[in-house]
Amino acid sequence: MLNWLLPEYIEDVLPAEAARVELLRRRLLDLFKVHGYQYVIPPMLEYMESLTTGIGHDLDIVTFKVVDQLTGKLMGIRADITPQAARIDAHMLNNQGVSRLCYAGSVLRTTPDGLARSREPLHVGAEIYGHPGVESDIEIHRLMVKALQQVGLSTLYIDISHVGIFASLLSDAGITEALEQELYAALQSKDQSAVRSLGKDLDKVTLDALCSLTELNGDVSVLDEAAKRLPATENIQQALNDLKAVHAGLSDLDVKVCFDLAELRGYHYHSGIVFAAYAQGYAGPLARGGRYDEVGAIFGRARPATGFSLDLRGVVSSLPAIETSKAVFAPADHDDGLAQAIEGLRAEGEIVIQELPGHEVHRQELGCDRRLVKQDGAWIVVVAPELSNQ
Amino acid sequence: MITIALSKGRIFEETTPLLAAAGITALEDPEASRKLILSTNRPDVRLIIVRATDVPTYVQYGAADLGIAGKDVLDEHGGEGLYQPLDLKIARCRMMVAVREDFDYFGSIRRGARLKVVTKYVKTAREHFAAKGMHVDLIKLYGSMELGPLVGLADAIVDLVSTGGTLRANNLKAVEEVTDISSRLVVNQASLKLKRESLQPIMDAFAQVVAANN
């Protein structure tokens, strides 16, 4: 066995990419900070019960598990940070009003996930707790758009849906849970023929509405079309109005907003507007999120909530390389003036690498394009093309 | 650029009229050419010729925007990352359980026998027998499933049947239908969001032909 091989879908992030990931991680957290989102660092692992209740409902099979040697209880390594943030809001902070939380950290998945097809995505996200209205949905949408623009993605597509439409169609028709699961799966693949055959015993209004959902996708005109084709119940009208409000709330940002009413990502715990961001060059969603009211109830306190997260490693994978400044080379020399010059440059943010003796022939590996030289008793920086290996 | 993934043979032949309705004609015949990427009369559309079982994978990862794949292949793949908006009702056949002419399939089930089954469609077969509450041992083969029961490798096969000619020629009989099969249009999820303006007309043209033919 080659003992330096890594498991499948687990990888190192090497310097060039790590620099980009870290740069963008800092930019995103700074952006969240100036919007009033407080940074939290939840633990890598906790008891399974708290990880996979509520919003973690679908996560059981993708969570790596270990037995806690202290209690004998089953612990999971987090596969998503959102349930942890919800737990923190419900039980640790006890704010009566609005809490805004953000986080950045690796999660583990038993199967490869997301754009990078990795088992160790790096999730960066933000959540708002305590506000049920569409205004907080708009705030989260805007923050997600700004975050992706900050990352360097210019042409963004935001795809928005509302799980309340599907949920109210089902509850009005009194559909069983088994059928609900199958209809949900068929709608996720927009498989209208499957919806039609699964729903053959339903009343015509419900069945036609469910079939319409597979076709109701496109620009904002879809919402007017939906008002015509779906039953005019109070819940559905409220949902369509909320979607219109979000559309209006994003109008000043440079993004394409589209709607897809069959998209029910995370239907089991989402309760309102759900959304995902797409961009050219990526074969899947870059960021996703939505409203998940009431999941805090499992932690003892039901709180309205909405938020988004993105896998930074997946996003970085298709970004153009960031031009980073190269280093300044300093010789191995015990000169007080040199030490001072080096510290001066470093204080200005320059990268200065002082040579360690014995590696004169490997200088090109250091990534320097300038060097410190002594001229007329003073150390100055000069361009040094001979140090570059390109 | 729109990339459409197709497999050679029956699916390609039966898709040609659908593509024609969308104003797309291949400039080369895949049976005659050894090229894997075929250009079309439209400079913004190309066809890629891949194995039938690989079509969902190309589309899932966005290497193709659209693809045409049998329901049999899609069920085995699982459909992750794909939309399957349209049943094209082409390349139709049935997936069946078949046994030797002299084998008492239903009698064996009643006796609670644990059957050996050879198939290429392991996932579909597993789900079918699990739904019936039958215990089976599945053996994966890549072709000539009909041989399995004849040489004692298995008691039954799960395979596609269109005319039943191969079964009869090998003294087998179909005893149970697993599911109806036809080809589906599959679409990469991100492509549908990002290239809706160019994909929707193709999908609409396909839908019109399907509606007219059925």
Side-chain angles (χ1 to χ4, degrees), chain A residues 106-122:
Chain A
S106 287
V107 301
L108 284 185
R109 298 264 169 152
T110 52
T111 50
D113 180 69
L115 283 173
R117 303 306 293 170
S118 169
R119 293 203 285 175
E120 193 193 358
L122 176 55

Side-chain angles (χ1 to χ4, degrees), chain A residues 216-288:
Chain A
L216 287 169
N217 57 74
D219 62 17
V220 67
S221 64
V222 160
L223 299 180
D224 295 325
E225 182 72 19
K228 280 183 223 144
R229 290 172 67 173
L230 300 177
T233 64
E234 197 186 325
N235 285 339
I236 289 178
Q237 276 176 340
Q238 181 61 44
L240 294 174
N241 287 340
D242 284 354
L243 290 172
K244 277 185 190 158
V246 171
H247 180 259
L250 297 178
S251 56
D252 62 319
L253 294 175
D254 182 22
V255 286
K256 251 183 99 108
V257 178
C258 34
F259 296 89
D260 184 341
L261 301 186
E263 202 68 73
L264 305 166
R265 213 173 292 106
Y267 165 68
H268 303 114
Y269 52 83
H270 279 309
S271 56
I273 291 178
V274 292
F275 53 92
Y278 293 83
Q280 295 291 356
Y282 292 92
L286 291 158
R288 52 176 62 165

Side-chain angles (χ1 to χ4, degrees), chain B residues 1 34 36 85 129 139 147 157 166:
Chain B
M1 175 63 83
R34 303 184 80 166
L36 298 174
F129 291 115
I139 301 170
L147 198 52
I157 71 172
T166 316

